[in-house]
Amino acid sequence: MTLPVEHWSDEERERLAPHFTNLDRPVFGLVNLPETVKGALFARYSRYPGTLRRLFLEEFADSVPEVPPIEGSEGKRAADLYERIFLGYGDDSVAQLGGAHIACEWTSNLLTKILQRPRLASYLEQSTRYIAYDTQLEGFGYRYYRDPRFGPEYEHALDDLFGTYSSLLEGMSSWAAEQFPRRDDESAAAHARAVRAKALDLVRGLLPAASLSHMGIYASGQTYEQLVLHLLAHPLAEARTYGELLLEELQKIIPSFVVRVPRPDRGGRWIEFLEDRRTAADDAARRLGLDASEPAAAPSVRLLRAHGTEEELVAALLYESGATGEEEALRAVRALPAADRAALLRELIGTRENRRHRPGRGFETLRYRFEIVSDYGAFRDLQRHRLLTCQWQRLSPDLGADVPHALVAAGLAGRYERALDVSRAEYARLRGEGFVEEAPYALSLAFRIRYVLELDAREALHLIELRSGPEGHPSYRAVAHEMRRAIAGVHPGVADAMTFVDDSTEERLERLLSEMRNEPGAAT
């Protein structure tokens, strides 16, 4: 694995050393910083083109007081007490009470999905919607994962993808500027940023899954333990490498919370169990003939199953205010005429003034299981939602790829499709040479993937309203719209509660209003 190397002056090293657990690895922890500074660093991280340590030097170092390095963060007495409770009594809940801020840099887009799999954690990922991947790093080249085993053909193919991405980015920037001329009431700077964001959205599908990103993670000790174990058991070599790096940094900050991982009788057996479980599933899929791809002609959203009724929803919303059992509440609700029951549901949902005003936990009594085929770029955004179950199949070219219609309108679709052919051919070469897990590195984000999202009605309302917003990427907005239509077919009252869904489909500068709101002096 070959990664970019960042160089620091002696003065920079002196400034960085008290606040980062190392200065020369892609995985490191944040220490000796106020929690607000850590949060602000991660918040800025998603739209900053460089690394976190460079961001700290450029934008934060002058406002943080210098402090001497602290050797470790746990005293011996606290560590002994923790080990006695955690290992001696098996009280895993103790591991939820301490956490750490960790940065994982130069991670491929395949790895970011693995890192984000734990539910109980907070993530911040560098965005392909705000950061251009058209520049080459000094001494490294374009930002993508490299492995000498893949041969020179791999780098030639991915350089081709990035080169096409760069040229199309300029072409689509010019097209967007012509299609959406600035109005008198729009700031020139905000309009220019919105045009650039539009172009980035339109061409990001060419970026391969090997594209390197940066991630910030905040999680409890328990979540990190689970994450490290899953990384170390993963068939992707990059994941195992980052599992080892992550464990090393956690041992510097919260060593007692990951003390079980290196132990052969604890973490060792755990890793073997995870590996055996995956092997058993792979073998069973082959025996049943489920390992052959089922083609899909176009993106799709299918509601596989819906659990619960709107009568049960109303009863659940009443439950906390009542003093009877749920069955009694359900009988009372069922006795109401349908129109009265619908009116009661609207009353219990309340008057929502914005999408953050969410209905009560009774909405969690209804559940939906969706099977979705979308481009990998949309999957990346939808997979990040915490309160749902997401299962996905291996990325391949078998389900086809999406070509934005704007590229057709701009006369640039031919170059886009040629790049997709290069991507598909390199995938086939890698897979043919035995790199089954690694072959998806070569696939562009425009290629489709099949996955399942299972979620309750409360999370569905949140996801659909958020992802259908006017500033959202068109590919995941389309998924959100289809999810709402499917829910309306079984639970119309739930769909009606989604009052902050944006249904507009016209071509526009998605980020313009946001850019104008962020202008200095703009009303908020």
Side-chain angles (χ1 to χ4, degrees), residues 157-458:
L158 268 67
D159 282 345
D160 190 327
L161 289 180
F162 276 87
T164 305
Y165 165 89
S166 300
S167 63
L168 289 182
L169 178 59
E170 293 309 311
M172 292 311 296
S173 294
S174 299
W175 176 86
E178 293 175 3
Q179 290 294 117
F180 306 98
R182 182 173 70 88
R183 299 198 310 259
D184 292 340
D185 60 343
E186 296 170 355
S187 140
H191 181 266
R193 290 194 298 270
V195 164
R196 185 68 166 177
K198 179 74 172 179
L200 288 169
D201 273 356
L202 290 170
V203 302
R204 79 163 180 173
L206 280 191
L207 293 173
S211 300
L212 297 178
S213 185
H214 301 325
M215 273 189 57
I217 306 174
Y218 177 73
S220 69
Q222 183 183 51
T223 296
Y224 276 126
E225 180 188 57
Q226 293 284 324
L227 175 57
V228 169
L229 290 166
H230 278 272
L231 289 169
L232 294 177
H234 204 277
L236 192 68
E238 183 189 12
R240 296 193 299 274
T241 297
Y242 272 76
E244 294 168 357
L245 293 170
L246 180 57
L247 177 60
E248 287 186 44
E249 301 312 308
L250 291 170
Q251 288 172 327
K252 298 174 184 176
I253 306 172
I254 48 172
S256 295
F257 288 74
V258 290
V259 70
R260 296 189 296 192
V261 174
R263 291 179 51 169
D265 61 329
R266 295 295 188 95
R269 288 294 301 126
W270 210 328
I271 292 168
E272 290 171 4
F273 165 73
L274 294 173
E275 292 171 338
D276 291 346
R277 193 179 69 184
R278 183 185 181 98
T279 299
D282 289 345
D283 290 345
R286 278 192 292 271
R287 289 199 309 272
L288 296 173
L290 302 177
D291 56 335
S293 178
E294 179 184 338
S300 63
V301 175
R302 288 199 300 155
L303 178 58
L304 301 178
R305 289 184 290 280
H307 298 281
T309 66
E310 290 197 345
E311 294 169 345
E312 293 170 318
L313 169 60
V314 174
L317 289 169
L318 290 168
Y319 184 80
E320 294 179 28
S321 296
T324 66
E326 187 172 63
E327 287 301 315
E328 180 60 31
L330 189 56
R331 279 193 291 271
V333 169
R334 284 174 173 162
L336 293 172
D340 291 351
R341 192 163 54 241
L344 178 56
L345 175 57
R346 291 192 295 270
E347 180 184 345
L348 294 173
I349 291 171
T351 303
R352 301 176 62 225
E353 296 179 3
N354 59 63
R355 65 176 176 80
R356 291 176 178 81
H357 290 181
R358 297 168 193 166
R361 283 199 169 182
F363 260 60
E364 296 173 18
T365 198
L366 305 183
R367 292 195 64 80
Y368 310 102
R369 187 171 178 87
F370 288 94
E371 184 175 73
I372 301 169
V373 174
S374 75
D375 67 80
Y376 194 75
F379 160 73
R380 291 172 66 257
D381 293 303
L382 295 171
Q383 182 265 351
R384 290 206 301 265
H385 283 260
R386 294 289 142 262
L387 300 180
L388 51 72
T389 294
C390 182
Q391 295 176 273
W392 62 93
Q393 297 175 349
R394 184 182 285 116
L395 177 63
S396 82
D398 297 341
L399 300 177
D402 293 337
V403 178
H405 67 269
L407 278 135
V408 178
L412 298 175
R415 291 164 64 188
Y416 192 95
E417 291 168 344
R418 185 205 64 80
L420 294 180
D421 289 340
V422 171
S423 172
R424 185 186 293 107
E426 180 56 18
Y427 167 90
R429 187 191 72 82
L430 287 173
R431 190 173 176 87
E433 294 187 5
F435 296 107
V436 176
E437 292 294 334
E438 296 83 357
Y441 280 129
L443 287 178
S444 296
L445 303 185
F447 283 99
R448 301 180 192 130
I449 184 172
R450 181 183 286 115
Y451 53 103
V452 162
L453 298 182
E454 184 161 352
L455 66 173
D456 61 47
R458 196 164 188 252

Side-chain angles (χ1 to χ4, degrees), residues 78-95:
D80 290 346
L81 176 63
Y82 183 87
E83 184 166 352
R84 179 162 54 84
I85 295 174
F86 188 44
L87 295 180
Y89 299 108
D91 190 354
D92 281 12
S93 63
V94 177

Side-chain angles (χ1 to χ4, degrees), residues 9-141:
S9 67
D10 291 342
E11 182 181 356
E12 288 172 335
R13 284 184 168 275
E14 185 178 355
R15 195 70 186 90
L16 290 169
H19 303 298
F20 300 94
T21 52
N22 72 70
L23 303 183
D24 52 8
R25 293 187 177 190
V27 180
F28 51 89
L30 282 63
V31 293
N32 303 324
L33 288 169
E35 294 298 304
T36 52
V37 172
K38 295 176 188 175
L41 269 166
F42 277 1
R44 177 75 177 92
Y45 205 14
S46 68
R47 303 188 188 186
Y48 178 75
T51 64
L52 190 73
R53 288 171 292 211
R54 181 62 63 189
L55 171 62
F56 174 81
L57 289 173
E58 290 186 357
E59 300 185 16
F60 288 82
D62 290 343
S63 60
V64 175
E66 295 188 30
V67 295
I70 298 175
E71 297 297 332
S73 59
E74 292 180 6
K76 183 178 186 306
R77 191 174 172 189
D80 290 346
L81 176 63
Y82 183 87
E83 184 166 352
R84 179 162 54 84
I85 295 174
F86 188 44
L87 295 180
Y89 299 108
D91 190 354
D92 281 12
S93 63
V94 177
Q96 299 170 10
L97 303 178
H101 288 80
I102 299 287
C104 294
E105 298 193 332
W106 309 118
T107 61
S108 74
N109 269 257
L110 292 183
L111 180 57
T112 61
K113 299 304 100 191
I114 302 167
L115 289 169
Q116 291 169 3
R117 189 152 191 166
R119 292 184 178 94
L120 300 179
S122 300
Y123 305 97
L124 202 295
E125 181 182 351
Q126 209 169 38
S127 175
T128 56
R129 298 193 67 198
Y130 302 100
I131 297 171
Y133 278 66
D134 57 341
T135 58
Q136 300 192 49
L137 303 175
E138 185 178 353
F140 187 78

